[in-house]
Structure formats: structure tokens, C-alpha cells
Amino acid sequence: MASDKVIQVSDGDFDARALKSDVPFLLDFWAPWCGPCKAIGPVIDELADEFAGKLKIGKMNVDDNPATPGKYGIRAIPTLILFKGGEVVDQVTGAVGKKQLAAMIEKAL
Amino acid sequence: MADTIIDVLIVGAGPAGLQAAVHAVRKKASVVVLGKVAHSSIYGAHVENYLCVDGVVDGADLLRTAVDQATRFGAEIIAEDVLHVDQADELFKVKIESGTELLCRTLIFATGTSRKKLKVKGEKELSGRGVSYCVDCDANFYRNAKVAVVGNESAAVDGALTLTGYASEVHLVCQALEVGEGLAAKLTESSVQVHAGRWPKEITGENAVQGLLLDDDTSLEVDGVFVELGAKGAMELATTIGVMLDLDTFSYIDTNKRQQTNIAGIYAAGDIAGPPWQMAKAVGEGCVAGWEAANYANKQKRQQKED
Ligand SMILES: Cc1cc2nc3c(=O)[nH]c(=O)nc-3n(C[C@H](O)[C@H](O)[C@H](O)COP(=O)(O)OP(=O)(O)OC[C@H]3O[C@@H](n4cnc5c(N)ncnc54)[C@H](O)[C@@H]3O)c2cc1C
């Protein structure tokens, strides 16, 4: 089930939503034609539910939003970047499992 | 549809795929196995923990017998890799190295596991910053850029050809190419610059890939390096049509006890369906997958006759 806690982020509202977030923000850069991106979809949903209140999770479609991926030098998807207080604190590329993502989040909280 | 529709199409010619073929074909399903027997993990192994064989036997000998059995019962084996899988209504469409497209009612993924990392300096550091493992995912980031693809087999060649549609310059670094004629011919006709007999020593760059240093100390100036070793794995082939992997590690295809995946008509067996990575387990799952897939295909045919 898609979680309603996952926030759709665009180039336009990236600053307001991710950089100025009051809690750490995990942003998933994806595209509809990318198989591994689809594969991690359910994990993103589960994490959004499990860490609700402590962390926000968003998704950005790189097809529709080229500016932000360009700014962060993203050249492979899925890439997940963890922001805290407007800074990049961690980042991972490729379909990584829930355990690894949960550990990355725990470390930053 | 004018094309013949295959009942059970099996991707992978190792113990799991060949056992699936035996059980499916004996249930009167038409069966095609795709893949190269010599690329099975057991091919070069010495086996002594497989039931009913005495002493130590060569994996290659076991596979030779398996191929004989499967073909004798009526399965067809085509020694080509799969490049792409698509859904076509209730059927699946599979593209292979020669460029041929096959239509099937059911699909069994029995592709084993494969090594995907190159293990050279710079690879880990620049992952996601120019180092990529999925041409189909990331080609779009390299419009008008210069890229290199590394690998000897179908994934690398198909990847390099795909990239010619995006990048301004495509290099292919390979020790010795091991691909089917169709794919090899396409490569020769293409603009891909092939560096045969070479292998990477280091991926260079500060915060982004700037070059690829080869083992003869020449250097390619590139913005991206695609590591595409072996044939395309389940990650590339299966997830694009929505097959789910295990959520904890994303390293194998999730199945139930009937070897079904989350998509009706698609099954997985053997190493690609998770540990333990053993031939006995691969063969057991292959048996179940072949059996289940044949039943599914036969039922679909009966229903279509009634309609
Ligand atoms: C050195 C070594 C020793 C081993 N010793 C033992 C042992 O003693 N006993 C034991 O039980 N197990 C042993 N194993 C493990 C055993 O080899 C595997 O568990 C077994 O081979 C799994 O079978 P499989 O059919 O799932 O995959 P594999 O045998 O690996 O076969 C995979 C097949 O899929 C094909 N393929 C992959 N991608 C594609 C594609 N895109 N398109 C088409 N085809 C594709 C490959 O070409 C290959 O034919 C050993 C493994 C190794 C590496």
C-alpha cells in the first residue's frame, strides 16, 4: 500500500519541504521507467509509516524535476539523500534493503 | 496472434532452469530454455553433496546429463541471453540477443546470482556520481556526455548500444566479447568504440567521474562508467515489470512455496530465489516452478478455448 505520508517533492518546493524541514528529510530520486526504483517503492512507504513524527520522506520524479538532481550531482537512480538542517548527511544509490536504510536513518536521528 | 506462444519460458540454463524444463515439458507444455549452460555457477564446480551421485562429480558432467534429459523430453534450449522482458496483456514478451522476440504464457526466472561489482579503485567512492550499474535506469543522465561501459557479455554490449542513443561518445571496455552473433553484428555496425583485450584499473575523479584508467595505462576521458558484468540479472529484467524482491536486502526474488512471484504467471527458482545457494535446493524449486507454470499455462489455454 502506498503510504499517504510520502510527500511528493518538486524543484519548486524542494527548499521549503526538504531543506527547511523541522525533522530530517529523506528524499528518494526516482523515475517511472526505472525497475529498481519501483522495487524500493514499498520500502519507502513502510519507512515513512515507521518513522512518522521523527523523519519525513519524500519522492522526486527526476524526469519532471531536472534542477534538484543536477544540483546534487545525481547521475544514477534510485538515489536517496538524507537532509538534516538543510545539509546532506548521508546518501545512497541503488536498490538497498530496508535494514540498511533504517540503519542510515537511525544514525542521523 | 500469428506467432507461436510458448507455454513455459525459462530464463537460465542451470540446475533450477533445467529441472523446471523437465517437469514442465512432461506436463505437456511447450518449453523453451534460454541461457548458457557453461555460465551456470555449478559448471566449474566439483560436487559431492548432491543426493544420488557417488563420489565427487564435475558440475559440467551433471549439466550435460540434464541438458540431454530436458531435450529428450522435448524442451528446446537456446543458448542466448535475455535482454528485455515486457508484459503484453496476459502474455510476456522476451527479447533475446539475436533480436528475436518470444511470446510466452509463463516465465520462470532461474538466472542464478552474479557478480556485479568491478572491484577497482574509485568504484565505491564514485557510485551514483558517475558510476552506474543500470544502463536502462541511468542512460538519460548522460545526454551528450562521454561514457564507458565495462563488461564482456550481453549486458555490456546491449548497454553500450542503448547508450549510443543518448551519449555523444560510447566506449566499451572488454577482455574478450562473449555474445551471440546478432548482438555482435549490431555492435560492429554501431558507433561504439571497442577497447578489446583491456580492463579497468581505476575510475578517476574527485566528486564525479572524470576518467577511466585502463590496464595498459591509457586513460579514457569520460563522465560516466557503466559496470555491466555478465548477463542482465533479475534486478534489471524482473523489477521493470514489477516483480518484487525481498525487501530486506533486495538481492533475491520473493516467492511463495509454489515459487510464484507477486505477478501471476511469473515464477522464480534456484539461487535467484534466495539462500541456501545449493544445487539440491535449486533443483527442488525448479521442479515446483516447472510444475506450477505448466499447470498455469494449460489452464489459460483451456479457458481461452472456452471463450
Ligand atoms: C565454485 C562453486 C562451487 C559450488 N559447489 C557446490 C556444491 O558442491 N554443491 C552444491 O549444491 N552447490 C554448489 N554451488 C552452488 C551451485 O552452483 C548453485 O546453487 C546452483 O548452480 C544454482 O543453480 P541455478 O540454476 O539457480 O543458477 P546457475 O546454476 O547459476 O544458472 C544460472 C543460469 O542462468 C543463466 N542466465 C543468467 N542471466 C541470464 C539472462 N539474462 N538471460 C538468459 N540466461 C541467463 C546463466 O547463463 C546460467 O545458465 C557451488 C557454486 C560455486 C560458484
Side-chain angles (χ1 to χ4, degrees), chain B residues 12-13 15-16 36 39-42 49 82 232 270-271 277-279:
Chain B
K36 297 165 186 172
H39 290 180
S40 157
S41 317
I42 205 78
N49 63 352
V82 171
K232 289 193 189 179
D271 282 3
W277 292 289
Q278 287 288 301
M279 188 166 104

Side-chain angles (χ1 to χ4, degrees), chain B residues 10-18 33-50 63 78 80-84 96-97 109-114 153-154 230-234 237 269-273 276-283 285:
Chain B
I10 299 165
V11 190
L18 292 167
V33 180
L34 299 169
K36 297 165 186 172
V37 174
H39 290 180
S40 157
S41 317
I42 205 78
Y43 190 82
H46 306 288
V47 184
E48 61 176 339
N49 63 352
Y50 187 69
L63 287 174
I78 304 175
E80 283 194 47
D81 290 342
V82 171
L83 301 179
H84 197 74
I96 60 176
E97 276 178 80
F109 283 104
T111 49
T113 51
S114 49
E153 295 177 39
S154 57
K232 289 193 189 179
L237 297 176
D271 282 3
I272 192 58
W277 292 289
Q278 287 288 301
M279 188 166 104
K281 182 257 192 189
V283 159
E285 289 184 350

